[in-house]
Amino acid sequence: MATTRHFHKIISADSHVMEPLDLWWNALGQKFGDRTPRVLDEYQGQKGTFFYSGNLGRPVAAIRARDPETEAAAAQAEARGMEACGYDPAVRVRFQEEADIEAEVMNPTRLLGIMRNPDAEVVQVCAQVYNDWEAAFASYNPKRLIGVSVIPMNDVAWAIEELERTLEKGLLNPMINCQAPEGCPPYRDPVYARFWAAASAAGAPVTLHLLSGRVLSPVGGAPDQTP
């Protein structure tokens, strides 16, 4: 029985890419070494596949195998070649067409954890590497793939420069830390006024995404929070 369609267009306002695991190591590993987010094949004496993000509370997370019982839909998608939706824009557009979706706003995934790394220098350059990759991803079909840039707010002057750079690349929706980074004043402080003004002048809506601030959301990552 066919379902009734109640909308002329469906746009996902909260979709995600899945950044390649080696994205940051390939770009930054030679310069930053062990400070670089990367894949590990051993952690605390345990063999396996892990990803180091530097995330406060959980700097290293295991990359687990898919559970065929609880994640059957994902396994079916992989069998159809759809797993590449996260990093291959051609496959993503094919998925949209099959699912009758007009467009998606594309947020990061692995970079959310990196945003909570206290190493501000590494976070900034990781954001730049991601922004360049995301811009290339979205450029495949800008009407369907709405790219979200990531702008760490440790340094307001730097943030404004990165905002302007990414706007020129076609990333019109900047995502900032959910709360101001450690050691920075809260967002109500006048020090951020120039950033708000730049985003407003560009008509760029600013996103605050959970899991990217000093305090984790109670919905996600609760077991990793301290009292």
Side-chain angles (χ1 to χ4, degrees):
M1 180 177 176
T3 58
T4 302
R5 185 179 176 88
H6 297 285
F7 304 97
H8 294 296
K9 292 184 178 182
I10 298 175
I11 297 174
S12 168
D14 185 12
S15 289
H16 287 256
V17 294
M18 183 60 79
E19 307 93 310
L21 285 164
D22 60 359
L23 177 65
W24 295 283
W25 179 257
N26 288 344
L28 306 171
Q30 188 170 1
K31 178 178 180 180
F32 289 97
D34 288 346
R35 296 163 65 193
T36 310
R38 65 197 185 280
V39 174
L40 305 175
D41 56 16
E42 182 178 344
Y43 179 59
Q44 295 182 339
Q46 180 181 350
K47 297 289 185 180
T49 307
F50 306 88
F51 185 74
Y52 167 75
S53 66
N55 186 322
L56 282 172
R58 188 172 62 175
V60 176
I63 301 173
R64 60 180 177 79
R66 179 173 292 124
D67 187 326
E69 293 185 6
T70 61
E71 299 172 287
Q76 292 171 9
E78 181 180 3
R80 297 177 56 220
M82 287 296 189
E83 188 179 73
C85 279
Y87 55 84
D88 186 330
V91 177
R92 189 61 169 242
V93 169
R94 178 160 61 91
F95 158 76
Q96 290 179 345
E97 292 170 345
E98 290 187 18
D100 211 15
I101 295 171
E102 291 288 324
E104 295 176 275
V105 178
M106 311 297 293
N107 291 283
T109 298
R110 294 190 169 102
L111 188 56
L112 293 175
I114 297 172
M115 288 281 279
R116 299 187 72 250
N117 186 327
D119 191 335
E121 182 183 18
V122 166
V123 173
Q124 287 178 336
V125 294
C126 283
Q128 289 178 319
V129 169
Y130 168 82
N131 290 337
D132 290 342
W133 179 85
E134 173 79 345
F137 185 99
S139 69
Y140 178 82
N141 191 326
K143 289 186 176 181
R144 282 188 167 274
L145 305 170
I146 313 303
V148 174
S149 63
V150 175
I151 313 290
M153 295 297 284
N154 305 79
D155 180 320
V156 176
W158 181 94
I160 293 171
E161 290 181 3
E162 184 64 4
L163 173 66
E164 293 172 346
R165 187 182 80 89
T166 52
L167 288 171
E168 291 179 359
K169 286 179 169 288
L171 301 179
L172 307 180
N173 179 187
M175 189 192 86
I176 65 175
N177 306 76
C178 199
Q179 295 102 10
E182 194 72 41
C184 298
Y187 286 145
R188 63 180 177 271
D189 193 281
V191 70
Y192 301 101
R194 291 187 299 129
F195 182 86
W196 310 138
S200 180
V206 177
T207 292
L208 294 94
H209 199 293
L210 66 104
L211 305 180
S212 65
R214 291 198 309 272
V215 180
L216 281 173
S217 162
V219 177
D224 301 309
Q225 298 187 77
T226 66

